[in-house]
Amino acid sequence: MSDAVSGCTRPRTTVTEAEVEALVHGICFKTGPPRRLGVEVEWLVHELRAPRLPVSPERLEAVYSALRTVPLRSALTVEPGGQLELSSLPAASLMECIGTVSADLAAVRAVLREDGLALVGLGHDPWHAPRRFLRQPRYDAMEACLDRSGPAGRYMMCTSASVQVCVDAGHAEPGPLGHVRRWWLAHQLGAVLLAAFANSPLAGDRPTGWRSTRQLRWAQIGTGRAGGPRLDADPRGAWTRHVLDAPVMCVRRDGGPWEVPEGMTFREWTRTGTPRPPTREDLDYHLTTLFPPVRPRGHLELRMIDAQPGDDGWMVPLAVTAALFDDPEAAETAYRAVKPLAERTLGLPAPHNPLYEDAARDALADPELREAAVTCFTAALAALPRLGATAEVTDAVAGYLERYVQRGRCPADDLLDMPDGASRGPHGRETRP
């Protein structure tokens, strides 16, 4: 969730509505042959031997200070609740990306282990209530803004973690690797990835009734903040309109708390110029406050996948997604597999449509999602050797396909089957998004 934006720069160049349209239209989809791949892995940080005990802010601050001295190739950032995130540099291949992040994670884990802490791959903290670790104007404003729609925002900020896969936008021309097809595929396949990797069925030590409580929290913060645009034949135009019509989270200031307007869109801000005219820096910041399941940032950022169990569990969604987007044969198979699912969206943007709701709640217990997942994972497995994947990676994907996908299961089902009472059923079932 974190973006490398901190502090406030003084207003420089005021932007008009027309200039915003041109800027967003030009920077959010950069077309060309798919050549780069990236991943952002978020982790909860728990006590190594007693994960139900909360980690004190003082211990988190001490261990993060130590980590800042460790040479890493990935960017290390901290989320509002103290979650840790590593963001890879754009890699030229799947194995380059995996190798870099694996080495960085090993270094990070070594430092944490010395202080009795561990990285935990869960999409939503199953035990702890939201608690802010970072106290910065950005997150104060975010909390104030999201509180207007209920408590889900605090859970999203402080208790969630994900695997975000970044792929190139694709060719300008039509075809399985064209940017229009990839934009559409990212949204429909996103529901399958959400279901296959759901790993957050608990909150407050009780089942919520959702395999991905993390996705539930995101949906609950609203369409303007966490929703995407309607899909049409012009992704650039649709996203540009969405950016302009999305609510402004905050107006930054050089000193003191940031202003949190209510209901003001960026389009309205450009037209009224109040409380001050928006700048290019404000636009750049505004783009980081929108959290749709697929976010165009020059590349496509897929944000619907829960953090995965195990030290190397994150490799599987990365490998599967890379294969289904960057191998032409696998991309065509995935497109055909998910095309029938599009009817279940009722034409509504993700994630606020029935398809994403079913994926978050039922995961691969949904027969159609299971069928599509089996087809997609099988195609990805066949494509991975063509992408240079090692036997370790292909074996991990094959194992996941056999253990979970073919059986209509996901990691959330393992948590619900635990003998400590988590399998008693969806007590306290939450309201649908």
Side-chain angles (χ1 to χ4, degrees), residues 7 11 155 216 265 328 336 351 397:
Y155 281 96
L216 170 67
T265 68
R336 295 179 183 275
V397 173

Side-chain angles (χ1 to χ4, degrees), residues 270-357:
T270 63
R271 292 178 177 180
T272 64
T274 57
R276 60 168 174 77
T279 68
R280 170 64 188 269
E281 292 76 25
D282 290 319
L283 172 61
D284 293 341
Y285 180 78
H286 176 63
L287 291 170
T288 72
T289 69
L290 305 180
F291 309 118
V294 182
R295 186 163 67 171
R297 307 188 68 184
H299 54 272
L300 302 183
E301 183 182 81
L302 279 70
R303 304 172 52 86
M304 72 290 295
I305 302 170
D306 280 355
Q308 294 298 290
D311 288 352
D312 301 327
W314 59 274
M315 294 182 187
V316 176
L318 172 62
V320 169
T321 304
L324 296 177
F325 274 86
D326 292 347
D327 181 84
E329 183 177 338
E332 184 63 27
T333 299
Y335 173 76
R336 295 179 183 275
V338 302
K339 194 172 183 180
L341 297 175
E343 295 181 3
R344 292 172 57 176
T345 69
L346 303 181
L348 299 174
H352 300 92
N353 62 47
L355 177 62
Y356 268 71
E357 180 182 327

Side-chain angles (χ1 to χ4, degrees), residues 62-105:
V63 78
Y64 285 137
S65 294
L67 283 172
R68 293 185 187 101
T69 68
V70 177
L72 302 172
R73 294 187 61 190
S74 305
L76 187 149
T77 51
V78 181
E79 298 292 342
Q83 310 98 304
L84 182 147
E85 178 180 280
L86 284 181
S87 302
S88 74
L89 294 172
S93 70
L94 171 63
M95 293 314 303
E96 178 186 325
C97 186
I98 288 176
T100 298
V101 176
S102 295
D104 288 342
L105 281 170

Side-chain angles (χ1 to χ4, degrees), residues 81-136:
Q83 310 98 304
L84 182 147
E85 178 180 280
L86 284 181
S87 302
S88 74
L89 294 172
S93 70
L94 171 63
M95 293 314 303
E96 178 186 325
C97 186
I98 288 176
T100 298
V101 176
S102 295
D104 288 342
L105 281 170
V108 167
R109 287 193 175 98
V111 173
L112 292 174
R113 196 180 304 116
E114 289 181 0
D115 198 33
L117 300 176
L119 299 179
V120 178
L122 289 168
H124 189 279
D125 195 309
W127 304 300
H128 305 126
R131 183 187 60 173
R132 283 272 301 284
F133 170 66
L134 296 181
R135 293 291 173 181
Q136 300 171 0

Side-chain angles (χ1 to χ4, degrees), residues 226-269:
R230 290 185 178 272
L231 299 181
D232 60 28
D234 178 20
R236 288 188 177 94
W239 179 249
T240 299
R241 292 189 295 273
H242 182 74
V243 168
L244 276 163
D245 292 331
V248 173
M249 176 174 283
C250 57
V251 177
R252 300 178 300 161
R253 294 175 176 170
D254 289 316
W258 297 359
E259 185 171 345
V260 184
E262 186 165 7
M264 180 180 74
T265 68
F266 205 91
R267 190 187 302 276
E268 291 169 339
W269 194 7

